[in-house]
Amino acid sequence: MNTWLLQKEGFDKKDAASDGNRFLCANGYMGLRGVPEEAGSALFPAITLAGVYDQFEDKWREPVNAPNCLFIHASFNGQSLSVEDGSPQAHSTALDYRHGVYSRKTDFGAACIVSRRFVSMASPHLLADEYQVSFRLDGEMTLETGISTDIWDINGPHLFDYQLTAGEILAVSCVTGQKKINLAAAQCVQADFEAEESLRQDETGVFRVFRRRVRKGETLNLRVFSAVYTSLDEPAPADAAKSCCREAKAAGFSACLQSHTDAWEKIWTLSEITLEGNEEAALFLRASQYHLNCVAPRHAKNMSIPARGLSGQTYKGAIFWDSEMFFFPMFAYTQPKIAESLLRYRVETLDGARKKAAEYGYRGAFYAWESQEGGEEGCTNFNVVDVFTHRPVRTYFRDKQIHISADIAYALRSWYEITGDRTLLQAGGAKVILECARFYLSRANGHFDSDRVDFADVIGPDEYHERVTNSFFTNEMIRHCLDSALLLKDIFADQPAWFASLLKELNYEQDWALLPALRERISPPRERNGVIEQFDGYFGLEDCSLDTVRGRLRDPREYWGGDHGVAGTTQIIKQADVIALMALLPERFTDRQAAANWVYYEPRTEHGSSLSACMYALTACRIGRLDEAWDLFMKTAQIDVLGGGKQWAGEIYIGGTHPASNGGAWMIAALGFAGLKMRAGKLSVDPHLPRQITRLSFPVTACGERYRIDVTHEGASISRQ
Ligand code: IFM
């Protein structure tokens, strides 16, 4: 088995959405969905751009898809050589995870297409395709390549005022509707054959058309170089896109591919986990690492990663807590610059979070639940559409999921623990932690004089139970946030003047004095037989099985939460909640507590979010439930190989890749199976290797030093590289 290769035989239109995700190529700047070159919008082609958002009319704001500048379509003797309408005799697709190369082979009988392509990891704006078509009969061939404006959008259109330029380099310039961001795509080709050549431009785009009589046995090769720029990158995006194409053509396809694969090799040197003992698991883990690595914003210093990566516009291309909880750990331990970029995004969107807090009448920083550029909140008040009435349902994620600010503070503190670096804290990170703590002080107002503070009307990670009081997860994360704020004084004990001036700048003296008081007063967790109640009143809800609740659904796409959802009145939860907290702050609980809670909550968890299994797996490792940990690992790691995961929340499409599971797979392997930990400047391992794995070996960077971790059933070692 080649554990670096995803392969699929055959073509089925109903798999197009899912295959577009599984075969994604991306480089952090853009994502190219894994559909064949000739795909029209019905097959969901997209080049999704990171950090470029637009709103059309009153629809949801979402990221912008660029014009399809890698469009190629051939026909032979009047037959369209297209998977969609050309009735291929055979079709196969592959994705090489090691080097991020997508390839396809489609046999139409009289002609056969073989191609490979990549989104350059070495040059963020470049995409390239090598397209070969061979013929088994004599006949007339037409080959069209160009920039198609037939774009798949969920809530579009987003691009207007198209200007098409035809010439040696084809170009499309356009502008987004809302913020008037200029966007340009360009394309040029290198053909190794002579043909009658013409240009075509109309409302579907601009194309170069090759016509030629071909002979039986002949093969034609075309190499296509494309580029995308926006005015956020360069003042003249069309010129930049054209010169990028020109330079790539001059260098040649092989040289561009070589730089791209070299860049991937470097990424694997820093991050690859070698898993021995089970080839399927090795493939799943590689797929997970590929998908998370390919959406990392290597081209930027202050960007984060959307919850569905760059696989399309799902979840509005927004940044969720997924970034801090699930993407951050792999990057912090393998490629700290990327982890830093995720956090800098939060530092630089602090004003957005302050604005949101003020909107709700609070002080401090209330980060957006679905954050877009500038920290703008993408989450609407009606975030689900009811499948029965087709009406938007009032949801409270935006207003009540207040743990988001504490999650960000948690990651900033982890950054300091893993890297030992204080400069990020000095460059705004400390300010973020303090402003998050201030938000909770102000959210607790009114209850502050009593000796117990209840955080009421919140939503924890389990989104099926809305507007609850004393969510254990939320309360403990708030406590940790207040603690982290207080810890800053110790971290900067050698720079008291700097720290005092920071408090002064934030006008924080009074709030500072209140932090310990709030920390002490937050309502303590309530327990029954060692099991912590997820929120006040949870134990009083109907205690029935997952199957019972599932059996009450009248439509498979029905939303389980909200006012009328099937889960709301029961103890069935969407995703890890109490257990998520235990996985994030393991030292705070005994093994016995962890075991009692795992055993109680796991059967009551739907795992309806791709964020769930990972947290249960981490705790399962700790309490020695290694067979369950293994199953949860496989569930987490396979998601973007097999194309699983929920596709619908009510009437909203939520498909795409799952970077949280991708990061979760790394977390289970490194933090769970190997038991990797960095505390007080000391790196340690505490292996819990399932019997299915014989060896795990991986690189780690901590406090600026590179290490290799090796774990087998015979023992473990940490060696400095
Ligand atoms: O952040 C998650 C949330 O916890 C569950 N719904 C999906 C979001 C994006 O992954």
Side-chain angles (χ1 to χ4, degrees):
M1 179 179 193
N2 181 346
T3 56
W4 286 105
L5 199 66
L6 173 67
Q7 281 174 295
K8 177 176 173 170
E9 293 299 324
F11 174 79
D12 189 338
K13 198 171 168 184
K14 75 172 174 14
D15 296 336
S18 156
D19 287 348
N21 304 320
R22 297 165 64 218
F23 290 93
L24 179 84
C25 287
N27 64 0
Y29 177 82
M30 60 188 152
L32 171 67
R33 289 176 54 80
V35 298
E37 290 88 342
E38 66 273 16
S41 53
L43 297 186
F44 317 112
I47 298 174
T48 304
L49 301 180
V52 185
Y53 297 95
D54 181 67
Q55 179 167 20
F56 179 65
E57 295 178 345
D58 60 353
K59 296 187 191 178
W60 285 357
R61 254 182 132 241
E62 62 184 8
V64 169
N65 287 335
N68 181 3
C69 50
L70 223 46
F71 177 85
I72 312 173
H73 178 211
S75 38
F76 181 56
N77 286 341
Q79 180 196 5
S80 162
L81 303 185
S82 153
V83 283
E84 213 181 340
D85 48 29
S87 312
Q89 295 177 356
H91 175 68
S92 61
T93 314
L95 177 61
D96 168 10
Y97 291 130
R98 184 156 196 112
H99 295 132
V101 176
Y102 165 102
S103 55
R104 55 88 63 104
K105 180 171 180 184
T106 314
D107 192 340
F108 294 91
C112 182
I113 293 169
V114 176
S115 78
R116 55 182 181 152
R117 69 181 190 217
F118 59 92
V119 179
S120 176
M121 202 41 102
S123 170
H125 302 273
L126 178 69
L127 315 95
D129 195 315
E130 186 176 56
Y131 188 90
Q132 205 176 63
V133 51
S134 45
F135 303 91
R136 295 199 185 93
L137 298 174
D138 292 354
E140 293 297 329
M141 180 266 341
T142 307
L143 184 56
E144 274 201 337
T145 172
I147 308 173
S148 163
T149 55
D150 179 20
I151 290 176
W152 171 51
D153 273 327
I154 298 182
N155 293 294
H158 298 296
L159 300 177
F160 301 91
D161 302 338
Y162 280 108
Q163 285 175 35
L164 313 178
T165 322
E168 192 210 333
I169 299 187
L170 309 178
V172 167
S173 295
C174 46
V175 63
T176 64
Q178 189 191 22
K179 293 204 170 161
K180 309 292 174 213
I181 297 166
N182 293 315
L183 196 151
Q187 189 201 85
C188 65
V189 299
Q190 194 179 44
D192 77 349
F193 53 88
E194 303 272 307
E196 178 198 323
E197 214 177 303
S198 59
L199 297 165
R200 172 172 80 79
Q201 64 185 78
D202 54 33
E203 67 294 342
T204 63
V206 55
F207 306 90
R208 185 179 309 281
V209 186
F210 296 97
R211 282 200 180 80
R212 190 193 137 113
R213 180 136 192 98
V214 291
R215 294 239 169 83
K216 179 179 172 184
E218 202 170 0
T219 297
L220 307 183
N221 282 301
L222 183 75
R223 293 179 187 99
V224 179
F225 305 91
S226 303
V228 179
Y229 272 84
T230 76
S231 49
L232 302 176
D233 312 312
E234 285 290 333
D239 293 346
K242 285 183 196 164
S243 44
C244 180
C245 291
R246 207 175 285 121
E247 281 163 25
K249 181 176 169 180
F253 185 86
S254 301
C256 294
L257 178 60
Q258 189 63 50
S259 318
H260 166 72
T261 56
D262 289 350
W264 266 108
E265 285 296 335
K266 284 195 188 124
I267 292 171
W268 289 116
T269 304
L270 293 171
S271 65
E272 183 197 349
I273 299 190
T274 308
L275 182 156
E276 291 175 12
N278 187 298
E279 291 197 328
E280 196 180 34
L283 172 81
F284 292 166
L285 186 52
R286 285 184 167 150
S288 302
Q289 289 205 270
Y290 164 79
H291 275 291
L292 190 54
N293 269 317
C294 82
V295 293
R298 292 187 168 75
H299 63 290
K301 289 199 166 61
N302 52 7
M303 277 186 96
S304 196
I305 300 172
R308 286 288 183 264
L310 298 174
S311 60
Q313 295 158 317
T314 297
Y315 281 143
K316 312 176 191 110
I319 314 301
F320 289 66
W321 69 313
D322 307 31
S323 289
E324 284 72 24
M325 300 289 127
F326 297 86
F327 315 161
F328 173 82
M330 178 180 100
F331 292 125
Y333 277 115
T334 64
Q335 299 153 86
K337 276 203 174 342
I338 296 168
E340 185 175 347
S341 175
L342 306 187
L343 296 179
R344 280 192 186 273
Y345 168 78
R346 297 301 193 177
V347 169
E348 297 196 6
T349 54
L350 175 61
D351 280 343
R354 285 175 168 145
K355 204 167 118 205
K356 177 171 169 187
E359 242 171 64
Y360 284 89
Y362 301 117
R363 297 180 302 122
F366 181 9
Y367 275 90
W369 181 242
E370 300 184 16
S371 181
Q372 296 182 332
E373 80 277 47
E376 201 163 313
E377 178 63 272
C379 189
T380 63
N381 284 337
F382 297 85
N383 228 31
V384 168
V385 177
D386 181 61
V387 286
F388 303 113
T389 61
H390 311 293
R391 287 195 193 118
V393 179
R394 175 67 163 107
T395 48
Y396 293 88
F397 314 129
R398 180 191 210 275
D399 345 29
K400 310 295 179 190
Q401 224 145 346
I402 63 169
H403 64 82
I404 175 71
S405 294
D407 305 335
I408 291 164
Y410 173 93
L412 280 160
R413 180 160 161 188
S414 308
W415 166 264
Y416 172 67
E417 279 163 5
I418 297 167
T419 65
D421 169 60
R422 294 192 306 183
T423 54
L424 179 62
L425 292 177
Q426 282 177 299
K431 213 180 262 186
V432 168
I433 296 176
L434 289 166
E435 287 293 65
C436 290
R438 174 180 266 165
F439 166 63
Y440 296 120
L441 282 174
S442 115
R443 183 65 160 63
N445 251 354
H447 307 264
F448 215 111
D449 294 338
S450 73
D451 55 5
R452 214 183 94 150
V453 175
D454 296 328
F455 279 95
D457 204 5
V458 304
I459 303 180
D462 162 30
E463 295 170 329
Y464 290 165
H465 295 91
E466 298 187 339
R467 312 193 71 172
V468 303
T469 297
N470 288 327
S471 144
F472 168 70
F473 181 94
T474 308
N475 281 9
E476 295 312 309
M477 288 303 283
I478 293 175
R479 203 190 303 277
H480 187 263
C481 172
L482 302 170
D483 214 55
S484 305
L486 289 164
L487 186 72
L488 288 170
K489 193 171 178 190
D490 298 339
I491 295 175
F492 292 103
D494 61 339
Q495 296 185 46
W498 176 80
F499 191 63
S501 73
L502 176 65
L503 294 185
K504 195 157 188 292
E505 178 198 332
L506 296 175
N507 198 11
Y508 211 90
E509 286 84 353
Q510 273 188 351
D511 287 331
W512 180 260
L514 293 172
L515 295 179
L518 178 59
R519 185 183 55 178
E520 300 319 316
R521 285 174 170 79
I522 296 176
S523 289
R526 302 208 298 198
E527 284 190 26
R528 192 176 73 185
N529 303 327
V531 178
I532 292 171
E533 190 173 38
Q534 188 178 291
F535 52 82
D536 289 356
Y538 171 84
F539 286 144
L541 297 177
E542 184 190 3
D543 193 12
C544 54
S545 73
L546 198 49
D547 283 345
T548 304
V549 170
R550 193 173 277 121
R552 291 174 184 165
L553 292 174
R554 287 192 290 134
D555 185 308
R557 295 183 308 166
E558 203 178 320
Y559 182 56
W560 291 36
D563 279 351
H564 306 292
V566 287
T569 55
T570 75
Q571 288 190 32
I572 296 301
I573 63 173
K574 178 178 181 185
Q575 65 198 85
D577 192 299
V578 170
I579 291 300
L581 196 275
M582 290 189 166
L584 294 173
L585 297 172
E587 282 95 357
R588 298 261 302 275
F589 307 93
T590 62
D591 287 350
R592 213 163 141 192
Q593 279 177 309
N597 283 277
W598 195 97
V599 168
Y600 189 84
Y601 282 108
E602 204 287 325
R604 291 169 175 78
T605 306
E606 186 217 354
H607 296 298
S609 159
S610 62
L611 280 55
S612 189
C614 155
M615 293 295 181
Y616 276 97
L618 290 174
T619 307
C621 288
R622 169 194 185 166
I623 61 176
R625 288 183 163 260
L626 296 187
D627 278 344
E628 281 108 331
W630 169 258
D631 290 346
L632 291 159
F633 167 72
M634 293 297 272
K635 183 179 165 81
T636 302
Q638 73 187 19
I639 195 162
D640 290 327
V641 179
L642 304 184
K646 266 195 183 173
Q647 302 288 308
W648 298 94
E651 284 188 349
I652 310 289
Y653 176 65
I654 55 168
T657 59
H658 300 81
S661 288
N662 306 152
W666 183 93
M667 288 162 75
I668 302 169
L671 311 181
F673 296 159
L676 178 74
K677 222 188 317 191
M678 180 76 179
R679 297 283 186 276
K682 197 170 168 340
L683 196 67
S684 64
V685 287
D686 174 19
H688 302 281
L689 212 53
R691 64 189 159 80
Q692 293 83 351
I693 301 176
T694 52
R695 177 167 174 249
L696 275 182
S697 172
F698 55 96
V700 157
T701 301
C703 282
E705 300 286 345
R706 301 258 293 273
Y707 300 89
R708 174 151 289 273
I709 311 292
D710 235 289
V711 180
T712 64
H713 290 281
E714 281 67 55
S717 66
I718 303 179
S719 47
R720 194 170 281 190
Q721 297 294 287

